[in-house]
Amino acid sequence: MAGFSKGSLAALVALVVGALCLLLETTMPWLVKFPEALVVPATDWVGAAMTWLLQLIKPIARGFSALMAYPMEATNLILGSSPWILVIAVVTAIGWMLGGVSMALMAVVGLGFVLASGYWAESMNTLSLVAVSVPLALIVGGGIGVLANEYPRFRKPVQAMLDIMQTVPTFAYLTPLLVLFGFGPVVGLIASAIYAAPPMARNVLLGLERIEPEIKEAAIMAGGTRLQQLFQVEIPSAATQILVGVNQCLMAALSMVIIAAVIGGFDDIGWEVLLTMRKAQFGPALMAGLVIVVFAVIIDRMSGTLAQDNRKRYDARVAWGILVVGVIASAVTWNSLPNPSEYSAFDGAVDAVDAGLSAFTTANWQWLAAVKNNVLYFGLLPLRIGLDQAVLPFTWGFQWTAQWSMGLFAVGAVAGLILGLRGQVTWGIMTLIFVGMLETGITNLPWPFVLVGVAALGWVASGRGLAVLSVGLLLTILLSGLWDRAMLSLYLSGAAVFACAIVGGGIGLLCAVSPMAWRITRPICDMLQTIPLFVFLIPVLMVFQIGEFSAFLAIIAYAIVPMIRYSRHGLTETPDEMIEAAIASGATTWQILRDVRAPYAAPTILLGLNQTILYAFAMLVIAALIGTTGLGQLIYLALGQADVGLGISAGAAMAILALIADRMVQGFAEERRKVLGL
């Protein structure tokens, strides 16, 4: 048959298995609902094993925790007791050295905002956590990167470990840390260091791998020892990439401050955000969130400047002058400065936000509820439980019947046949599969169909190895009894990723054809990428309250940026000779975009989709605080109950879903690169 390919065969197998499951559903209900008798108590086993292991190493962990308390307390004391004038002067001087007037001004304005907000003391506590956790993460991450570079046989295991660390939800490993180190600031510090270490390790390894062979050979010819080669030649040569790792490490540590506050809560800005959110004090929550955003922007801009090869050098005498002025002003005003916590320049604005929000929601509750309910009833709910259960008289105005199902399948069959006759056999079969999934719902899909479908996708994306790995990993979720929760997580993250692909891809396309649109969109994307995860929850909670729709919006807001950036980048990086050839052949702007730019950009866009998927899974656990019911909720419950087995099992299940999606998208991107000869 014309157009019948590897993808067509895989889709056909999945379609046949899905059709058989639907036909046999009434006589063999176990095809849809996995038999409880076959579920193994994996969570209990993991809990027992981890409890034994944690109890074994707890004395060492508690000793390390006591040791880390000293630098934490010392940093708290230094930052907390230093006059705010001196702290602002130091940061401004650093800003001048790194970026001149603009960055120095950013430091003054940003820290001035923090001071005026009344959260100065809490901010210094947060800064002390970052100041101690980042060096720890740099040492551990840098050591792992160097180790993987020096011993190639460890490279693959190290990369696999880093993949796992970056796909396992942060809340999942907070539970064992809580058992090991107890409750308090130090456990938050350690959690931040663990979360921030992988970006450093990856960038150190990447930088050392990219060093030119000639540089390494020159170091060897000079007679240096291996340590001399590494520390005097290779690491300085990889400095730019390593400094990128430092930037990512700083941002990762800062993004953990609110999450760390859950288990290590003390009087820091993360705890303030959590406390005000729990009390539904959205004005103060927004103000505390903005303080974190200010710190994120300052740290990101300053550390990002270090990684620039052509960074401009600024007169150090100006920086020393700023420091001297700061020291003198601090000495003169030492006893006359009021307590920074007494500053409250924005109290009126905070109260106005709360009052304005209440007035807005009261006046517009009808259309806000309409937006929320329409998305839920006509979008999310059918995806979750299928049209046959979601279409009801009080939602859609009529009752779904078997005749409607038959009509839907008939329309799908006609569309699939038309696509097949046009040579697009794979898409024709996939159309029927999509129709079946829409009628049934993601959470009600028969588990054999899911396993076979994932195996088929893995086989098409990257061969038999990925197919076997994916099925094996999914079987662990199925046998552990977490399948239903995993499908709930897959449904919500999948819906958010689809929305990001459509909206983000559209914005990326607009930015590719309109430089003005990109100039407007770029700073928004920069801001969204510096905002810690928890802060995304505040605005959606303010308007739409707790619920699945709020979680859906928060995931989209966090995960959409990679799709915008990669789509725009891919569409604007098409080689000039390809564009010139298309213009010479008489192609229109739309034809060039559709037939030249889009195919060439496909690998880059797929990488953006990959990042969006990982971002969505990362945010899914945070969104459990405001209304999700999948694995994220289990992880959060396990943290509250200190249930190590449940936390690790649910976290591992979430990581498995993210890992499979990551490998598949990378496989499709690699296949497209080969087709394009890249």
Side-chain angles (χ1 to χ4, degrees):
M1 180 189 257
F4 204 81
S5 61
K6 181 179 180 180
S8 303
L9 179 61
L12 182 60
V13 171
L15 177 63
V16 170
V17 172
L20 286 174
C21 289
L22 289 178
L23 290 172
L24 300 173
E25 180 180 356
T26 54
T27 56
M28 298 180 181
W30 54 268
L31 288 173
V32 176
K33 184 71 175 177
F34 190 72
E36 292 285 345
L38 297 180
V39 173
V40 297
T43 298
D44 296 336
W45 295 347
V46 170
M50 287 302 301
T51 300
W52 175 82
L53 178 62
L54 294 177
Q55 291 298 328
L56 191 66
I57 62 176
K58 183 186 284 188
I60 301 173
R62 292 298 171 96
F64 180 73
S65 177
L67 186 65
M68 292 304 299
Y70 291 106
M72 183 77 178
E73 291 172 359
T75 310
N76 261 329
L77 180 64
I78 293 171
L79 289 174
S81 58
S82 297
W84 59 262
I85 294 178
L86 181 60
V87 175
I88 293 177
V90 170
V91 177
T92 304
I94 295 172
W96 167 266
M97 291 294 294
L98 295 175
V101 175
S102 61
M103 200 162 287
L105 187 61
M106 180 187 69
V108 172
V109 173
L111 292 182
F113 172 81
V114 173
L115 178 67
S117 71
Y119 287 126
W120 183 265
E122 293 84 356
S123 299
M124 291 303 101
N125 289 336
T126 295
L127 200 58
S128 67
L129 186 147
V130 174
V132 180
S133 65
V134 167
L136 186 61
L138 293 178
I139 293 170
V140 174
I144 292 172
V146 170
L147 177 69
N149 179 71
E150 292 299 296
Y151 300 97
R153 66 178 179 274
F154 291 141
R155 195 164 299 172
K156 283 190 176 181
V158 164
Q159 288 177 334
M161 179 189 71
L162 295 176
D163 287 342
I164 292 171
M165 289 179 69
Q166 289 194 301
T167 52
V168 171
T170 50
F171 271 128
Y173 57 74
L174 292 184
T175 309
L177 288 179
L178 185 62
V179 174
L180 275 176
F181 298 101
F183 186 86
V186 174
V187 69
L189 180 154
I190 294 169
S192 298
I194 291 174
Y195 184 67
M200 186 63 189
R202 285 190 185 280
N203 281 280
V204 168
L205 180 57
L206 183 63
L208 293 174
E209 285 178 339
R210 288 183 174 179
I211 295 173
E212 297 292 337
E214 294 80 7
I215 296 177
K216 295 182 179 180
E217 291 169 5
I220 294 171
M221 295 297 293
T225 65
R226 181 61 198 137
L227 285 177
Q228 288 173 327
Q229 295 170 31
L230 180 65
F231 288 99
Q232 296 180 18
V233 178
E234 295 182 12
I235 290 180
S237 299
T240 300
Q241 190 66 48
I242 291 173
L243 288 172
V244 171
V246 173
N247 170 258
Q248 294 181 1
C249 184
L250 280 163
M251 297 307 294
L254 187 62
S255 71
M256 274 292 290
V257 295
I258 308 180
I259 299 173
V262 176
I263 59 170
F266 69 122
D267 193 20
D268 67 345
I269 198 68
W271 181 250
E272 197 66 32
V273 171
L274 272 181
L275 195 62
T276 50
M277 282 178 60
R278 287 172 177 170
K279 293 179 179 179
Q281 297 173 341
F282 294 117
L286 184 62
M287 180 58 63
L290 288 175
V291 169
I292 294 179
V293 172
V294 167
F295 271 109
V297 171
I298 292 174
I299 291 173
D300 179 53
R301 295 296 182 272
M302 288 189 175
S303 59
T305 304
L306 292 172
Q308 296 176 3
D309 290 323
N310 56 349
R311 180 166 61 89
K312 184 178 178 181
R313 307 293 175 180
Y314 294 90
D315 193 344
R317 290 174 297 181
V318 176
W320 284 110
I322 294 171
L323 281 176
V324 169
V325 170
V327 170
I328 294 173
S330 299
V332 170
T333 60
W334 187 275
N335 294 320
S336 58
L337 282 176
N339 190 321
S341 299
E342 296 176 5
Y343 292 103
S344 55
F346 299 112
D347 279 359
V350 168
D351 294 337
V353 167
D354 270 335
L357 176 65
S358 298
F360 174 78
T361 53
T362 301
N364 300 281
W365 68 269
Q366 290 181 320
W367 74 265
L368 288 175
V371 170
K372 180 178 180 179
N373 292 335
N374 284 333
V375 173
L376 283 173
Y377 293 145
F378 300 111
L380 295 179
L381 196 60
L383 280 176
R384 179 177 179 175
I385 60 176
L387 288 169
D388 61 343
Q389 294 185 37
V391 177
L392 298 169
F394 76 93
T395 55
W396 287 58
F398 63 93
Q399 181 69 50
W400 189 269
T401 62
Q403 288 75 21
W404 280 101
S405 294
M406 295 300 293
L408 180 65
F409 283 119
V411 171
V414 171
L417 181 61
I418 293 172
L419 289 170
L421 292 174
R422 291 183 175 181
Q424 297 177 325
V425 177
T426 302
W427 283 109
I429 299 172
M430 290 298 296
T431 300
L432 275 173
I433 293 175
F434 290 145
V435 167
M437 292 174 64
L438 184 60
E439 199 271 345
T440 304
I442 293 175
T443 59
N444 293 327
L445 290 174
W447 58 267
F449 166 74
V450 176
L451 293 179
V452 172
V454 169
L457 276 174
W459 180 57
V460 174
S462 193
R464 184 174 60 184
L466 181 57
V468 173
L469 175 65
S470 300
V471 172
L473 291 174
L474 286 179
L475 280 173
T476 63
I477 299 177
L478 184 66
L479 294 173
S480 65
L482 297 174
W483 186 262
D484 291 342
R485 293 282 189 159
M487 290 299 101
L488 284 169
S489 295
L490 187 63
Y491 133 75
L492 188 57
S493 58
V497 167
F498 179 77
C500 288
I502 299 299
V503 178
I507 296 173
L509 172 61
L510 177 63
C511 293
V513 299
S514 170
M516 176 61 72
W518 178 234
R519 283 196 292 271
I520 295 171
T521 305
R522 184 176 182 178
I524 297 174
C525 289
D526 290 342
M527 182 191 68
L528 289 175
Q529 286 198 303
T530 55
I531 296 176
L533 279 71
F534 257 93
V535 180
F536 285 93
L537 303 183
I538 299 173
V540 294
L541 273 178
M542 289 169 65
V543 179
F544 293 105
Q545 309 304 316
I546 290 176
E548 195 169 87
F549 180 67
S550 296
F552 176 69
L553 291 181
I555 295 170
I556 292 174
Y558 180 66
I560 197 172
V561 174
M563 201 66 215
I564 296 173
R565 287 190 181 277
Y566 280 81
S567 297
R568 183 257 170 194
H569 178 72
L571 292 169
T572 55
E573 292 300 310
T574 309
D576 293 336
E577 56 269 19
M578 293 179 66
I579 303 297
E580 291 168 2
I583 294 173
S585 66
T588 64
T589 302
W590 169 250
Q591 288 172 328
I592 292 172
L593 185 64
R594 183 191 63 192
D595 300 329
V596 180
R597 290 187 184 274
Y600 189 85
T604 304
I605 294 173
L606 283 171
L607 289 178
L609 179 63
N610 177 50
Q611 290 296 304
T612 293
I613 291 170
L614 295 179
Y615 276 40
F617 276 107
M619 190 65 187
L620 191 62
V621 183
I622 309 301
L625 293 172
I626 61 170
T628 64
T629 54
L631 293 168
Q633 186 186 51
L634 286 184
I635 295 170
Y636 187 65
L637 290 175
L639 179 62
Q641 300 165 3
D643 189 336
V644 178
L646 180 60
I648 291 179
S649 298
M654 185 81 82
I656 285 171
L657 296 178
L659 190 64
I660 291 173
D662 172 61
R663 292 295 183 265
M664 285 187 179
V665 175
Q666 285 192 29
F668 283 116
E670 183 62 30
E671 186 268 337
R672 289 302 305 165
R673 279 194 291 267
K674 289 179 180 177
V675 170
L676 295 169
L678 299 176

